Each structure stands twice: as structure tokens, then as C-alpha cells.
Amino acid sequence: MNDSREHPDDRPDDTRATLVAAARALFAERGYDGASVRAITSRAGANLGAVTYHFGSKEELYNEVVATMIRPMRDRVGAVARRPEAALDRLEAVVEVYFDHFSANGDLPHFLVERIASGQLPPPAVLATMRAVLQTVSGIVAEGQADGSIRPGDPVLMTLSVIAQPVYLSLVHAPLRTAMGVDIASDHLVAHARRFVRAGLSSSPAEAP
Amino acid sequence: MNDSREHPDDRPDDTRATLVAAARALFAERGYDGASVRAITSRAGANLGAVTYHFGSKEELYNEVVATMIRPMRDRVGAVARRPEAALDRLEAVVEVYFDHFSANGDLPHFLVERIASGQLPPPAVLATMRAVLQTVSGIVAEGQADGSIRPGDPVLMTLSVIAQPVYLSLVHAPLRTAMGVDIASDHLVAHARRFVRAGLSSSPAEAP
DNA sequence: GAATCATTCATACGTTCGTATGAAAACGAA
DNA sequence: TTCGTTTTCATACGAACGTATGAATGATTC
């Protein structure tokens, strides 16, 4: 019925990209240890040795997968931060970017926390993004505090509280639905998180939208 | 120098408890797959067969570890919810309970999200706690909305936003310090999260403490 | 068309894993 | 003490893992 390979008509030489796609799906479904090299190469329609040949090791393939997924998001956050808008509006936009990118890459939140949850350090690409976002967003917060629109407080802590919303909400979204019968529409989720973040940071009571 | 076993002077018959303690530490340090039965039994000073004998399987030992860690927290949240205080104060107290319990069980957040991050369902004890907390806390939110102290909005979403704070902040606390040089004092973390939650839910601007 | 390089392939190696097995030891009740 | 039960122990099994190896194949260049 359905072809077991990721790309039935792959042109030669994109074995590498096919591997990344298959690995991304399997890492998200089963976690790092649960996704064997054999399962990945089989799903990609490639030979068992392909991972070693193209990436050197399973670990490096994992890093590549994570980097591929997360890099565009880092860029989008950076772009939003440079907009000529009010600080609170840009922070809402950051929240929206997170949700939007998670929606297009529904498995990204898994990669963000999987290593941390296993007591290890996140992969390099995640660390780099955390660093960049922390700096960018806390800069926006500081601007908002300077112009009086955001209440006082440690900008780094405020940034973490902002990021916690899309990450945690997206992470529990699926289990909430499948295991607890709590079904939340994505746009409600985003709208709520934006309001919550604005209210949590604002120095004045939330104005109606 | 230090004994490799968990309890050098264990009385007979608490092998079971010693296994749970050793397993908890190793699961937290290395994740489920990273903590082998051999490593666990060796750390507990027990025989390799002890896990099968006392728990039936590694999976059931894991469930037992998680249940042991999370059950007291569920009770504490329930107790806080029944206090005769204002809704927002009780919600702050819930946040404090989370942080406090995480502080005494620094590895609990790992267990809360490990399975989710690997694309699986959380262990039964985590699901049960999520259910209970969701119901309890969203009840408090609804009360606060009824008396006008909390702004309108879906109580379930608001609950998730509240819980996101202690969970995410505790989760990233260690990697932030060790890998990114961001060192945050625990009491600052708690105080910030309480303020952020109150501000995010309150129907009036935050009053000075 | 031969030579060079890149890629694919089948297969094998050594390790580690969770669990099973059955004997040995410890324990408690009679 | 003796019997029956519970708990420990050493060891074995089969499976799955990541990676290495070297031959085969394909593509590119001269």
C-alpha cells in the first residue's frame, strides 16, 4: 500500500537528506535510543552503513537533525526582534513564532528537552539557540522596561517564563489529547499564551485586543 | 573511599527500597535507556536478578520510582487547594509547592517529561498526577474568576500556563548554569514565578508584595 | 576506455542489554 | 530440627545494538 521508503523516487545523492528526514521522524517517535540505525536506514531505503558513511555516527546524525529543525526558528526569532514595534508586541510575536514553528515541526519540542530529561546536555544546536534567544528576548524585555511598558524584574527570568509557554504547552498538547481527553485547538492555545505572556510582563492591566 | 552501595548497613529485606533509591538516581542521571539493570543493581549492592524478582521488570521498577517521587506532591497540591485563602494566593502556593518538591527531588522534572520527549506516554503515576492537578488547579482558577480576582479565560489553559512555570524553569535550571553560565538562585526563581503567575492571571495590576 | 573517486552494499564483530533459570542460602513456623 | 517459603546468587540465553570492513557498483575526469 504505502512505500516504506521516505522518497520512492529519490534522485541519486540525496541519500543524506533522506536519512535526515527518516531520522527526524523516528527520533521523534521513539526517542534517541529507541530509534535504531537499522530502523532509520531501512525507513530511508538506504543501506545500514549509510549513517556511518554520511555522518560518521548516529550521534552526529542526531545533531544534524536537530540543527536542521531548529536553525530556521532561531533566525525567525531574530527577525521578529528587529521589528520596529512595541516591546510587548514583539514578545507576543516571539511566542507566536515558537508556536508556529512547532506547528510546522510538531516534533521539535521533543528534541528541545529530550537530552535534558535524560540528564545530559542538549545537542549543540539547541544550546546555541537557547543562548541566542535568551540574549535577544531579554534585550526586548529590557527595552520594554526602559520605556515603562514592562514591569521591573530580571529580564532573563522573564525570558524563561515567556519561552516556557510555547515549549511546555506544545509538549503536553499531544498527551493531553490522547491520554487525558483534553483537546485544545491550536489557535486557542496560541491566543491564550500571548495573552498570558503579555499580562505576566505588562506594567499596566491588560488592554482589550 | 565511598561504598559503592546505596546503604552500607542495610537491614535484610529492604533490598526493594534500596533498589528504588539507586534506580531513581540512575534514571535521573542517564535516562531510562541509559540506566541499565546491571548498573542499578550494582549501585544498590544487590544481585542482577533482584529487579526481576522484586518488580517483575525494569519498566515496573521505573513506574515505581516515578510513583514514589510524585505521589507526595500530588497530595501537597491537594492540601494547598483546600486552604481558605484567596484564589490567587492558593495558586501562588501551588507554584511554590512545585518548586519546593522539585528542590527536594531535583530529578523529578526529568521524569515528568522524559517519556513525552521520547514520543511515548508518561508513566501512569505522572498521568494520574496531571489529571488530579489539572482538575484541582482549574477549580481554583474558576473560583477566582467567579469572585472577579482572576481575568476571564479557559481555566484549563490557565492551569497549564501556571504549571509550565515550575516545570520548565526547574528543567532548564541545571543546563543553564552548567552549559550557559546563567546561575539563578532558587529563591529568586520561585519569587519570580509567583509574581509572573499572579500577574498573568490577575484581573487587576499586580500590587506590591 | 582507463583511472580515479564517491557511494552503496552485504556481512561480520564485539558489546551490551533485559530477562530466564535453577541452585544456594536465609528465614520463619512447627 | 525440619519443613516450606522467601530471597539471593552465579550464570546463561537470545536478541538488538552501533560500528567496521572490504568488495561491488556508479559516476567523473582525463
Side-chain angles (χ1 to χ4, degrees):
Chain A
M1 187 154 296
N2 55 355
D3 195 319
S4 73
R5 296 188 312 161
E6 204 68 11
H7 290 113
D9 57 328
D10 48 6
R11 315 179 310 286
D13 210 27
D14 56 6
T15 302
R16 188 187 164 92
T18 312
L19 279 174
V20 170
R24 168 186 154 166
L26 281 168
F27 283 141
E29 280 174 24
R30 313 182 191 173
Y32 180 83
D33 291 296
S36 70
V37 173
R38 283 167 177 82
I40 292 168
T41 51
S42 158
R43 176 153 179 167
N47 185 267
L48 173 59
V51 166
T52 303
Y53 178 77
H54 285 283
F55 301 93
S57 72
K58 180 186 182 183
E59 177 78 23
E60 291 178 70
L61 168 58
Y62 181 80
N63 290 340
E64 178 81 16
V65 167
V66 175
T68 300
M69 295 189 74
I70 208 176
R71 233 171 344 224
M73 198 183 73
R74 186 155 81 228
D75 299 340
R76 289 179 64 185
V77 169
V80 159
R82 275 178 250 107
R83 286 192 199 157
E85 297 176 3
L88 280 171
D89 293 331
R90 278 182 286 161
L91 290 174
E92 275 196 44
V94 168
V95 171
E96 175 133 31
V97 163
Y98 262 76
F99 274 112
D100 186 65
H101 200 78
F102 288 168
S103 166
N105 307 271
D107 28 19
L108 180 51
H110 296 188
F111 295 99
L112 292 181
V113 301
E114 182 184 23
R115 281 291 158 86
I116 300 178
S118 307
Q120 307 169 258
L121 280 184
V126 170
L127 277 181
T129 296
M130 286 177 67
R131 258 188 269 269
V133 168
L134 213 60
Q135 173 164 341
T136 302
V137 175
S138 65
I140 304 179
V141 170
E143 287 181 46
Q145 289 172 327
D147 67 27
S149 61
I150 293 182
R151 63 181 176 83
D154 183 342
V156 169
L157 284 175
M158 286 176 157
T159 299
L160 294 175
S161 286
V162 169
I163 302 305
Q165 294 299 314
V167 171
Y168 183 81
L169 293 183
S170 298
L171 197 64
V172 299
H173 190 242
L176 275 177
R177 189 174 51 75
T178 64
M180 305 177 55
V182 179
D183 205 345
I184 305 170
S186 291
D187 45 344
H188 287 180
L189 207 63
V190 179
H192 161 79
R194 293 176 61 149
R195 276 195 297 266
F196 189 84
V197 162
R198 174 176 286 267
L201 297 179
S202 183
S203 58
S204 62
E207 58 273 32
Chain B
M1 188 156 292
N2 55 354
D3 197 318
S4 73
R5 295 186 311 160
E6 204 66 13
H7 291 114
D9 57 328
D10 47 7
R11 313 180 311 286
D13 207 29
D14 56 7
T15 302
R16 188 188 164 94
T18 312
L19 278 173
V20 170
R24 169 187 154 166
L26 281 168
F27 282 141
E29 279 173 26
R30 312 183 192 170
Y32 181 82
D33 291 297
S36 70
V37 173
R38 282 167 177 81
I40 292 168
T41 51
S42 158
R43 176 152 177 167
N47 185 267
L48 172 58
V51 165
T52 303
Y53 178 76
H54 284 282
F55 301 94
S57 72
K58 180 186 181 183
E59 177 77 22
E60 293 179 68
L61 168 58
Y62 181 80
N63 289 339
E64 178 82 18
V65 166
V66 176
T68 300
M69 293 189 75
I70 207 176
R71 227 158 3 209
M73 198 183 74
R74 187 157 81 228
D75 299 340
R76 288 179 66 183
V77 169
V80 158
R82 275 179 251 109
R83 284 193 202 159
E85 298 176 2
L88 280 171
D89 292 332
R90 278 180 288 160
L91 291 172
E92 275 195 44
V94 168
V95 171
E96 175 133 31
V97 163
Y98 262 77
F99 274 112
D100 187 64
H101 200 78
F102 287 168
S103 167
N105 306 271
D107 26 20
L108 179 52
H110 296 188
F111 295 99
L112 291 181
V113 301
E114 183 183 22
R115 281 290 158 85
I116 301 178
S118 307
Q120 306 169 257
L121 280 184
V126 170
L127 278 181
T129 296
M130 286 177 68
R131 255 188 270 269
V133 167
L134 213 60
Q135 174 165 340
T136 301
V137 175
S138 64
I140 303 179
V141 170
E143 287 181 47
Q145 290 172 327
D147 69 26
S149 61
I150 294 181
R151 63 181 177 82
D154 183 342
V156 168
L157 284 174
M158 286 175 158
T159 299
L160 293 174
S161 285
V162 169
I163 302 304
Q165 294 299 313
V167 171
Y168 183 81
L169 293 183
S170 298
L171 198 63
V172 298
H173 190 241
L176 275 176
R177 189 174 51 77
T178 64
M180 305 177 56
V182 178
D183 203 346
I184 305 171
S186 290
D187 45 342
H188 286 180
L189 207 64
V190 179
H192 161 79
R194 293 177 61 149
R195 276 196 296 267
F196 189 83
V197 163
R198 175 176 285 268
L201 297 178
S202 182
S203 57
S204 62
E207 59 272 33

